[in-house]
């Protein structure tokens, strides 16, 4: 029994590690990513811009410049998923741990990463040498009006909102042609429906739309879409993003609209502006639990953390899911 337990535990750990690196999550490859192992404090380092000198005379002396070295601290969220397999189900569902239990653990891992990315987008970012100076999300300048594109009242996701978001990024100096500054827009299924119902999307002149509807393309107006039902809600009364998630009827964590305004906080950002750290390895355990009639106990733990690196590299596009 000892060898069997060890073998099962090893398979459980190996399969989770494999799926965590091969299964694609919502933000995988769409933010700047690093891994950590045992670090007490995590930072994303930054460099300020460089202004070139114009040469106006022959044999002149060059003037050296220095780049600003900046940093933002990353606070990680720690997660765990303890599971128990009832003994009567053991032979039917988890003979070798390559079962849906492993898949559900990896899904929780990916979902928690998405939640931490959203927290990093909107929570205060701490800067300074030791990461002690808070910088709040710039709602004054990086927010698109929720009514933009509507004839009256609030609007869902509109062409006008996407154009305005791109404008704010480009005016801030982000060269959206640079792969490092690829613009992404996270939306939920309802926002996609809003777009599919627009005149432009219905027109055959928009060939990219046909590809989108067939599932072959997920971008429009130069923005690549990230489809996520984990996207949080926006509280118009308090003018803040509602960073609240809770377990729903399906047993997974989903965003909570505490303001009951039904307005989704969609974000347009450039790839390099969101930095995400993930623990390099899972902590995994599997074994028989004596006090629970020797049922299998499965355990996994991990950590994620994210931060926005500059204020003008992200734009909030509030989208009403039930506009008037």
């Amino acid at each position: 029994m000892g060898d069997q337990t060890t073998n099962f535990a090893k398979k459980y750990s190996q399969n989770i590690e494999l799926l965590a690196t091969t299964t694609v999550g919502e933000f995988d490859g769409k933010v700047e990513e690093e891994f950590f192992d045992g670090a007490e404090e995590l930072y994303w380092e930054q460099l300020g811009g460089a202004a070139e000198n114009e040469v106006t005379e022959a044999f002149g002396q060059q003037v050296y410049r220095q780049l600003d070295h900046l940093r933002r601290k990353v606070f990680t969220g720690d997660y765990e998923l303890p599971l128990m397999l009832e003994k009567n189900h053991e032979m039917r569902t988890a003979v070798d741990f390559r079962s849906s239990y492993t898949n559900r653990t990896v899904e929780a891992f990916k979902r928690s990463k998405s939640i931490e990315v959203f927290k990093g987008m909107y929570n205060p970012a701490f800067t300074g040498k030791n990461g002690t100076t808070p910088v709040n999300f710039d709602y004054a300048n990086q927010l698109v009006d929720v009514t933009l594109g509507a004839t009256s009242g609030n609007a869902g996701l509109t062409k006008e909102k996407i154009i305005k978001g791109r404008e704010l990024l480009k005016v801030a100096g982000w060269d959206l042609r640079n792969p490092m500054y690829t613009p992404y827009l996270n939306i939920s299924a309802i926002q996609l429906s809003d777009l599919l119902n627009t005149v432009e999307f219905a027109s055959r002149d928009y060939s990219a739309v046909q590809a989108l509807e067939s599932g072959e393309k997920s971008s429009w107006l130069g923005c690549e879409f990230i489809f996520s039902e984990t996207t949080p809600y926006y509280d118009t009364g308090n003018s803040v993003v509602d960073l609240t998630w809770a377990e729903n009827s399906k047993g997974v964590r989903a965003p909570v609209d505490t303001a009951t305004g039904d307005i989704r906080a969609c974000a347009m950002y450039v790839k390099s502006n969101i930095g995400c750290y993930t623990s390099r390895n899972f902590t995994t355990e599997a074994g028989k639990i004596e006090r629970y009639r020797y049922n299998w106990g499965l355990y996994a733990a991990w950590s994620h953390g994210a931060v926005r690196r500059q204020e003008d590299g992200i734009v909030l596009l509030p989208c009403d899911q039930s506009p008037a």
Side-chain angles (χ1 to χ4, degrees), residues 218-255:
S218 58
S219 64
W220 195 45
L221 298 178
C223 291
E224 295 191 25
F225 295 149
I226 299 173
F227 300 104
S228 174
E229 295 307 317
T230 316
T231 302
Y233 287 87
Y234 178 68
D235 181 350
T236 55
N238 295 310
S239 299
V240 294
V241 176
D242 191 354
L243 298 173
T244 307
W245 291 264
E247 186 174 330
N248 64 13
S249 59
K250 295 182 67 175
V252 299
R253 294 177 73 201

Side-chain angles (χ1 to χ4, degrees), residues 138-204:
D138 188 1
Y139 288 101
N141 299 303
Q142 301 303 116
L143 174 66
V144 171
D145 198 309
V146 69
T147 66
L148 187 61
T151 54
S152 64
N154 295 336
L157 182 59
T158 62
K159 176 187 68 176
E160 290 82 1
K161 289 183 180 180
I162 297 177
I163 292 174
K164 185 62 178 179
R166 283 175 48 82
E167 174 190 313
L168 291 174
L169 292 176
K170 290 175 73 69
V171 168
W174 300 98
D175 184 356
L176 303 185
R177 297 168 299 178
N178 188 327
M180 290 180 59
Y181 306 146
T182 298
Y184 288 99
L185 174 62
N186 83 272
I187 60 177
S188 73
I190 293 179
Q191 282 77 62
L192 178 58
S193 297
D194 290 340
L195 289 181
L196 292 174
N197 286 323
T198 63
V199 174
E200 290 83 2
F201 264 72
S203 172
R204 293 187 60 85

Side-chain angles (χ1 to χ4, degrees), residues 53-118:
N53 299 323
E54 182 181 0
V55 179
T56 59
E57 59 180 356
F59 306 107
Q61 189 174 33
Q62 69 269 29
V63 178
Y64 285 97
R65 295 177 176 269
Q66 290 186 337
L67 299 182
D68 291 331
H69 286 251
L70 310 170
R71 60 179 2 191
R72 292 201 167 182
K73 190 171 185 177
V74 180
F75 295 90
T76 59
D78 301 323
Y79 296 87
E80 65 175 5
L81 184 60
L83 298 172
M84 183 183 294
L85 297 176
E86 209 282 329
K87 194 169 184 63
N88 292 331
H89 298 160
E90 181 180 324
M91 295 303 297
R92 293 197 298 271
T93 62
V95 173
D96 60 2
F97 290 108
R98 289 174 294 185
S99 66
S100 57
Y101 279 80
T102 302
N103 293 329
R104 291 292 184 265
T105 301
V106 174
E107 289 170 7
F109 171 82
K110 297 294 186 180
R111 187 166 49 248
S112 64
K113 178 180 178 180
S114 297
I115 289 174
E116 288 300 319
V117 167
F118 285 123

